[in-house]
Amino acid sequence: MIRRLFENRNFVIAARIVLGAIFMYASFDKMANPQAFADIIDNYKMLPVQLVNPLAIFLPWLEFLTGLFLVTGKWVQGSLLIYTTLLVIFIIALGQALVRGLDISCGCFSVNPSTTSEVWLRIIEDLAMLAVCIGLLKYGESSDTDVETEIENQKTII
Amino acid sequence: MDKRSLWQICGILLLTLLAGIFFNLSNPNRIQFIGDEKNVDYSASDSLLNALRIQDSIQKAADSLMTNSSRREDSLKLLLEQKLKDSLLAVQKDSLKRVQDSVKAAKQKTEDSLKNTQTQSQDIAKPVDIKIDFAKALFDKKHRFIDARDVSDFDAGHIQGALNIPYHDLEKYREKLNSLPKDQVYVTYCSSACDVSIDMAYAMVKMGFKKVYIFHGGWDEWKNAGYP
């Protein structure tokens, strides 16, 4: 049943657009306020301080570009692989914060520390997105493949 | 992973690198590419604690001198009434003068010490990291403690008399925080493995609070020390 779902072209396109839009939306606030995002990353206490600022600068752009490629349907396979990797990293970061009882702001969609964010809820959201990503990688045909197949078919017909 | 996916990943990473660099350079809120290490600097904590102790001891000495002075004055008055008025008057005058001089000197010292301490405190342009012993001294002096943890953590246990202003709900509590006098001494704390006390202290300084200390040991260290 799951396989059939991910073989449905409309579902695959919708899933890609939703996943991409989520990452693009999540990146805007972080891009605008890199210092606040750096503080949030530092609060996770996972990285040496030298890596905090580079991550605060580049991660929002990685999210944005990955999201953009998923929405536009270009470089889908590569984008999905990056998306999946990022989600795994986010789940690990949130999980360790939850286990260690760190009193932190998630920084998932907003860098405002006042934003209420239940860490466990974010983990569930990320797990759901991860499941969709894995489904797309395993069963879903990427947009690039679709286009190439279409071109091949047309060539054959001609 | 096939070759095409690998190329796509490399392409996305390269674009990310370029976009990140250019955007950060042109962003008015840009940050350094390599951040500075956050050091907890306790150097001010010990000197402030010493200043506070000196101030206390001088205050005590001045108080005891004042008490002795008044006692001595009373006894001299009695003697004055009973015995040789003229000769004792001279002695009393002399004695009183000496006591008054010593009280004056002690007062001067106290004022100097207070001024020094106040100057040190007024110089705080940013929050100062403090250890538990200085935090306890400030607690004994009835200075206000700000608990930056969430309400549930605060309810589970907190420093006696502390005010709970959760940093994660700062917007909600901003008015309450603003209503506090800005020129008083405040000590922020959270648990021990947290940074909200630091964030809160810097936010308070931004809001115009002049003397903010960060007690890094937080509630955990306070509780373990058996303090109220």
Side-chain angles (χ1 to χ4, degrees), chain B residues 65 94-108:
Chain B
L65 271 171
D94 180 49
S95 166
L96 270 173
K97 203 188 170 203
R98 269 190 283 149
V99 171
Q100 276 167 355
D101 286 346
S102 57
V103 168
K104 264 186 189 175
K107 269 187 177 174
Q108 189 62 43

Side-chain angles (χ1 to χ4, degrees), chain B residues 34-53:
Chain B
I34 306 290
D36 296 328
E37 197 151 355
K38 252 190 200 174
N39 285 324
V40 178
D41 179 15
Y42 285 123
S43 59
S45 180
D46 291 336
S47 61
L48 283 167
L49 183 64
N50 284 337
L52 206 66
R53 280 178 181 158

